[in-house]
Amino acid sequence: MMEIPAYAKLNLSLEVTGRREDGYHSIASVMQLISLHDTLTFAPAPGLQLTCGDPGLAGKDNLVYRAARLLQRTAGVETGAHITLEKRIPLSAGLGGGSSDAAATLIGLDRLWRLNLPCAEMQRLAGALGSDVPFFLDGPTALVEGRGEKVTPLPPPLPFWAVLLYQPSAIPEKTKRLYASLTPQDLSSGEATRSLTARLPGDITLLPLHNAFERPAFRIFSSLAGARQKMLKAGAGTVHLSGSGPTLYTLFPEAAHAEAHSLHRRLLQAGLISYLTRSLTPGEQ
């Protein structure tokens, strides 16, 4: 039996630079792994089996099962695996939980089945599963471009703490709807992301962070403006959106860990869904 953590990510920068001929949008984003994670356990089995504490996540349309099936077909593997998924990253939150689970599945089964696939082949399979999946094979900090398939490792920022506030939402095809809501004013050249990468390694808590989805997200998620105000009232500084939302986050330098803990505690005491997490450094994943 083998355990693999599947870490969440924050978008420290997320620009949409245009629409591609294939219908996807081009992005320029700095992504950062954080310590909040799901856990996947792999064990040998005659066929492919996926179990989860939430039975609704154990179907064949789950990215974990799809990743396992894709790897099995590609490598010509005749045996199977019993995969157990322990979810902690909230669903459809802008934190990349499903994509991270898919990447962890490729990594775990590559080891379990002793395939030793080349990195390029693993990246190809990851890209076939979803735009964010290739990043989770690398991390912990990277520049992500194209539709998400071009991943360039970056020096990590100085270690930081992040307090997250998650507001559950039930918007069908959330990411697709948010992309469709972008207007020309939301698009940019990628300059903000390039400027951020040029300042790494550095204290990310002091830098301006950009997200192209801020305007449409605050319009589509009716509770988002109120959530931001709750964070500010509880003592947060600048509040940012991760991915296409609806998770909001605020950052603290490592030395301010006690302040981060206090904010997290106040949000929990207010009955909100909050997570206290920290940035990962190379070698931790």
Side-chain angles (χ1 to χ4, degrees), residues 6-161:
Y7 294 104
K9 57 83 177 167
L10 293 179
N11 293 88
L12 302 179
S13 172
L14 175 51
E15 293 181 86
V16 179
T17 58
R19 191 175 181 90
R20 296 155 50 109
E21 291 184 0
D22 60 8
Y24 289 96
H25 286 80
S26 294
I27 65 166
S29 179
V30 175
M31 294 188 185
Q32 171 67 47
L33 292 180
I34 54 176
S35 57
L36 174 66
H37 65 86
D38 296 339
T39 302
L40 288 97
T41 305
F42 303 89
L48 284 178
Q49 307 166 43
L50 172 61
T51 59
C52 181
D54 180 349
L57 298 179
K60 293 185 177 181
D61 57 346
N62 188 299
L63 268 175
V64 169
Y65 188 91
R66 288 165 52 194
R69 190 73 186 98
L70 177 62
L71 183 60
Q72 189 183 50
R73 288 197 309 264
T74 301
V77 175
E78 295 183 0
T79 186
H82 184 185
I83 307 169
T84 302
L85 171 61
E86 180 184 345
K87 285 296 293 180
R88 187 160 182 261
I89 303 171
L91 301 175
S92 298
L95 299 172
S99 296
S100 186
D101 291 343
T105 300
L106 293 177
I107 293 169
L109 292 180
D110 181 70
R111 296 176 185 172
L112 183 71
W113 293 336
R114 299 180 182 179
L115 301 175
N116 298 312
L117 291 183
C119 291
E121 178 64 0
M122 292 283 279
Q123 286 284 352
R124 186 189 70 79
L125 295 175
L129 291 164
S131 297
D132 283 350
V133 182
F135 163 73
F136 290 100
L137 292 178
D138 290 318
T141 314
L143 170 64
V144 179
E145 298 173 288
R147 71 173 182 89
E149 80 285 358
K150 184 179 179 183
V151 180
T152 305
L154 293 172
L158 294 178
F160 64 79
W161 288 89

Side-chain angles (χ1 to χ4, degrees), residues 170-191:
I171 296 178
E173 298 186 306
K174 179 202 70 172
T175 303
K176 182 178 180 180
R177 181 174 174 185
L178 279 158
Y179 268 110
S181 299
L182 293 172
T183 66
Q185 75 187 69
D186 301 313
L187 306 183
S188 52
S189 65
E191 179 57 35

Side-chain angles (χ1 to χ4, degrees), residues 180-212:
S181 299
L182 293 172
T183 66
Q185 75 187 69
D186 301 313
L187 306 183
S188 52
S189 65
E191 179 57 35
T193 299
R194 288 191 292 272
S195 176
L196 183 61
T197 62
R199 300 176 74 173
L200 294 177
D203 187 349
I204 200 73
T205 67
L206 301 177
L207 302 179
L209 307 182
H210 175 83
N211 189 324

